[in-house]
Amino acid sequence: MNDEHYMQMALDLAVQGRGCTSPNPLVGAVVVKNGIVVGRGFHQFAGGAHAEVHAIDAAGDAARGATLYVNLEPCNHTGRTPPCTHKIVAAGLQRVVMAMRDPNPQVAGGGAGFLEAQGVETTCGVCEEQALGLNEVFIKYIRTGRPFVTAKCAATLDGRMATRTGDSKWVTGEESRAFVHELRHAVDAIMVGVGTIAADDPLLTTRLQGRPSKDPIRVILDTRLQIAPTARVLNHCSEAETILVVGQETSASVRTRLPLKGVRVIEGEIRDGLLDLDRLMNQLGRMGVTSILIEGGGRTLGSAFRAGIVDKICFFYAPLLSGGDDGVPICSGAGAETMQDCIRLDRIHTRRFGDDVMIEGYVIRN
């Protein structure tokens, strides 16, 4: 077996923490001695033991002289838990193989440097591209303090999210909708415009098949506080809060008409008559929101692209045609003047969900 084989095992373990570790990264670890896996572990929740600790504890005395595979450089600083590097040295591990360096500019390289100074051999860059993708949220947030933003839509082949009457149930099939709940489970927050609340009255919760799920924070853009007090998103039992983002002109007296249990109202800055989404990302980042899934509607998606806040898209297309130009488009508002001005994507992947096709891609930054 080679390093890539055992690193893939560590990456597969890391995925098991998805949706539970924010604001921490997804990390898996494997201890190998004489070609035999003697310990495994992954970071299970924020504040809990790191993956390296679980794997080393599982290995016990067999860790001495063994190799540790981990998809992120072990920490060398004290946070909620002690430094993993000290645990590695105390356990007598001979070699540590890392997929990538810690992206935190304040600590990058510190873990590997400490281990090497203690006589532990280190190797970095094994399965690095896969590791970077796995922790794309953590990487952006730790470097910028802003959330990683994914734009999602479900549309017909001719680009309509609803018919001219507003009917949108259902554009895509059950398999696509089940995967959207996986996306919800993985992020800190969902963001929609108040128009989506008025049209669909969604719960915006997560419902996974056969296993526990985590509801994301609901971020509702509502410049003039037009949401109905009876909206389901304000009146269901969920541990996750709902954040209403309103314009600065909205008076405090109007807010008193809403149920406030689990609901927070924050003021956003207005630009060209709409909420300034670029500044909102800074606000939400300071509140600890590391990732956002934008689920619509068309005005919110259009505003998000124009504001330059979108990092990634997940667009689901069903084998349907609206057949006209009077349905609800994916994006509304002013678009590009020329093809040269269009937003461009790279790292494109496609997936099938039943008869639907999902296109995933990353926005190219100029």
Side-chain angles (χ1 to χ4, degrees):
M1 299 295 182
N2 56 23
D3 286 347
E4 287 77 11
H5 172 80
Y6 295 117
M7 186 61 73
Q8 187 61 59
M9 292 177 63
L11 287 161
D12 291 343
L13 283 165
V15 172
Q16 296 184 39
R18 179 167 282 151
C20 303
T21 66
S22 179
N24 293 349
L26 298 169
V27 184
V30 177
V31 178
V32 179
K33 189 169 187 178
N34 299 325
I36 299 172
V37 175
V38 294
R40 311 167 192 255
F42 68 95
H43 186 41
Q44 300 175 13
F45 58 90
H50 289 187
E52 299 95 318
V53 174
H54 285 299
I56 292 170
D57 286 348
D61 292 340
R64 188 160 299 278
T67 297
L68 173 71
Y69 293 86
V70 61
N71 61 289
L72 182 66
E73 180 181 4
C75 64
N76 190 43
H77 59 281
T78 300
R80 295 191 193 180
T81 58
C84 289
T85 51
H86 294 197
K87 178 85 171 179
I88 291 167
V89 172
L93 284 151
Q94 183 177 16
R95 180 177 180 234
V96 174
V97 180
M98 302 165 282
M100 59 174 284
R101 301 284 187 184
D102 191 324
N104 187 336
Q106 297 180 349
V107 301
F114 176 85
L115 291 172
E116 290 167 357
Q118 300 299 312
V120 179
E121 179 187 349
T122 66
T123 300
C124 187
V126 178
C127 301
E128 183 176 27
E129 185 175 352
Q130 189 175 348
L132 290 168
L134 178 68
N135 274 312
E136 60 193 10
V137 168
F138 174 73
I139 292 168
K140 180 183 179 182
Y141 186 74
I142 202 69
R143 287 177 174 171
T144 68
R146 289 162 61 94
F148 185 94
V149 178
T150 301
K152 168 262 171 184
C153 77
T156 62
L157 291 178
D158 50 354
R160 302 297 164 180
M161 297 194 295
T163 66
R164 59 184 172 81
T165 64
D167 181 37
S168 62
K169 291 185 173 56
W170 293 101
V171 179
T172 51
E174 290 185 9
E175 291 182 40
S176 293
R177 299 199 299 275
F179 185 72
V180 170
H181 284 279
E182 297 282 354
L183 295 177
R184 289 182 178 184
H185 176 71
V187 298
D188 289 346
I190 298 176
M191 189 167 78
V192 301
V194 70
T196 296
I197 302 299
D200 300 335
D201 197 19
L203 286 170
L204 299 180
T205 53
T206 303
R207 298 174 293 282
L208 299 179
Q209 295 275 343
R211 57 192 175 92
S213 59
K214 171 190 67 67
D215 289 339
I217 298 167
R218 275 81 58 181
V219 179
I220 301 169
L221 307 180
D222 191 2
T223 308
R224 298 173 184 82
L225 201 62
Q226 297 173 313
I227 192 169
T230 56
R232 293 200 300 167
V233 74
L234 302 178
N235 294 283
H236 62 80
C237 296
S238 174
E239 294 182 2
E241 70 176 346
T242 297
I243 297 175
L244 295 179
V245 187
V246 303
Q248 294 170 321
E249 299 300 317
T250 303
S251 67
S253 61
V254 177
R255 300 179 199 181
T256 61
R257 68 182 177 85
L258 293 173
L260 296 179
K261 183 179 179 181
V263 178
R264 187 194 309 195
V265 179
I266 65 172
E267 291 185 354
E269 295 190 33
I270 302 298
R271 183 177 183 181
D272 299 327
L274 297 173
L275 288 163
D276 188 329
L277 298 186
D278 183 60
R279 290 182 179 272
L280 178 60
M281 293 305 102
N282 292 330
Q283 286 180 266
L284 294 174
R286 289 192 294 269
M287 293 165 60
V289 176
T290 71
S291 56
I292 296 174
L293 179 66
I294 301 179
E295 291 207 28
R299 187 167 75 167
T300 297
L301 285 167
S303 295
F305 283 115
R306 286 189 294 275
I309 67 168
V310 178
D311 298 292
K312 179 179 179 178
I313 68 154
C314 290
F315 280 17
F316 295 80
Y317 289 96
L320 303 172
L321 294 169
S322 170
D325 63 358
D326 53 355
V328 179
I330 294 173
C331 296
S332 62
E337 291 187 8
T338 68
M339 284 295 166
Q340 188 64 34
D341 297 328
C342 288
I343 296 165
R344 296 186 179 275
L345 307 173
D346 65 1
R347 290 178 283 163
I348 306 297
H349 296 91
T350 60
R351 291 182 63 176
R352 286 286 299 270
F353 294 96
D355 291 332
D356 305 329
V357 175
M358 184 190 79
I359 297 178
E360 177 184 80
Y362 294 81
V363 173
I364 297 174
R365 301 295 182 198
N366 294 327

